[in-house]
Amino acid sequence: MNISVAIDGPAGAGKSTIAKIIANKYNLMYINTGAMYRAVTLVAMNQDISVDNISNLMSLMEGMEMHFENDNLILNGENVQPLLTTPVISNNVSNYAQIPEVRKNLVKLQREMGKHYNVIMDGRDIGTVVLKDAKFKFFLTASPEERANRRYEELKNNGLDVKYDDILSDIIKRDYIDSNREIDPLTKAHDAIEIDTTGLDIDGVVNKISNYINGSVK
């Protein structure tokens, strides 16, 4: 079976969790594009490179080697996955992700991955930009309150001291930035299947997506 799957949606809609399960179920390479933008944000902030310093950002990205191993993003030989979901990265990633030069660089890398492997990618612009010809496109969404609660529980379970109201405020802010940026805004592809995950558990969402895939793949 030679397929590619695109999963888009706002922050906290469950894209990564669902994509990992679908990847294992159908033997696809899972590519977490959001983690790639978070990795750029992580390194840029560690080196005090602001969103306005495009030249230094481009030089920084030229020296970044990224690939995935067992759902973890390996950056220059180091597993940085645990660092990518911290509040400070979540609060800043949209600012770096809306930079045209950053997007162009990572989209090119993501498309190359899609050409050589059976893949599933999740992000904000997979079905509309990165994998425009993907056979299967899904757009996951949920209410801001539901998404904030999921992220709150995830971070609390990881031992972080966080406040629900702060996370909700950040998600609403990120929704606005992602949906209104000039380059590749968050939007549902015209041929994507929308799934509202509010009130659905993981198995329920996986079953919905699997039914579509199973019904189309012969």
Side-chain angles (χ1 to χ4, degrees):
M1 180 171 59
N2 184 19
I3 65 172
S4 58
V5 181
I7 297 184
D8 289 303
K15 301 184 300 296
S16 297
T17 300
I18 300 302
K20 291 176 186 177
I21 296 173
I22 296 295
N24 289 330
K25 185 172 184 177
Y26 293 98
N27 195 28
L28 305 174
M29 176 183 289
Y30 168 57
I31 299 173
N32 183 344
T33 63
M36 298 170 75
Y37 286 99
R38 286 172 175 267
V40 172
T41 304
L42 173 69
V43 179
M45 294 187 68
N46 284 345
Q47 297 189 18
D48 293 323
I49 300 176
S50 71
V51 294
D52 301 318
N53 196 336
I54 304 302
S55 176
N56 281 4
L57 274 173
M58 292 302 95
S59 295
L60 172 74
M61 293 184 71
E62 288 177 3
M64 294 176 63
E65 191 284 321
M66 289 185 277
H67 68 277
F68 291 90
E69 293 180 6
N70 299 321
D71 299 335
N72 294 314
L73 190 147
I74 309 301
L75 173 63
N76 296 334
E78 178 185 356
N79 180 7
V80 297
Q81 194 66 39
L83 304 176
L84 301 183
T85 56
T86 58
V88 66
I89 300 301
S90 295
N91 291 341
N92 287 276
V93 63
S94 290
N95 296 323
Y96 286 92
Q98 67 179 333
I99 298 171
E101 292 84 353
V102 171
R103 300 200 68 81
K104 181 178 179 180
N105 187 301
L106 291 185
V107 166
K108 180 180 178 181
L109 179 57
Q110 292 156 10
R111 283 175 173 164
E112 286 299 313
M113 293 177 177
K115 287 179 181 178
H116 295 96
Y117 303 98
N118 294 329
V119 300
I120 181 168
M121 295 190 195
D122 70 277
R124 305 291 195 279
D125 60 351
I126 308 305
T128 55
V129 176
V130 182
L131 296 178
K132 291 189 289 186
D133 296 325
K135 186 168 186 177
F136 302 104
K137 298 180 182 180
F138 301 95
F139 190 88
L140 304 187
T141 187
S143 68
E145 293 76 13
E146 174 95 359
R147 290 182 281 130
N149 187 63
R150 292 172 183 172
R151 186 60 53 85
Y152 173 78
E153 293 296 336
E154 175 188 2
L155 295 174
K156 288 287 287 186
N157 289 337
N158 288 335
L160 297 177
D161 183 17
V162 292
K163 296 180 180 178
Y164 168 83
D165 288 342
D166 291 341
I167 295 175
L168 176 59
S169 176
D170 176 55
I171 279 182
I172 293 172
K173 176 184 175 183
R174 289 183 64 191
D175 284 353
Y176 179 82
I177 293 174
D178 290 343
S179 299
N180 290 276
R181 65 184 177 223
E182 184 175 349
I183 305 297
D184 301 337
L186 167 66
T187 185
K188 174 180 172 290
H190 71 89
D191 52 349
I193 297 163
E194 182 169 344
I195 299 175
D196 187 343
T197 67
T198 304
L200 283 177
D201 60 14
I202 293 173
D203 287 342
V205 180
V206 169
N207 287 339
K208 280 180 174 288
I209 291 177
S210 297
N211 288 339
Y212 283 111
I213 294 177
N214 295 337
S216 300
V217 178
K218 303 301 180 182

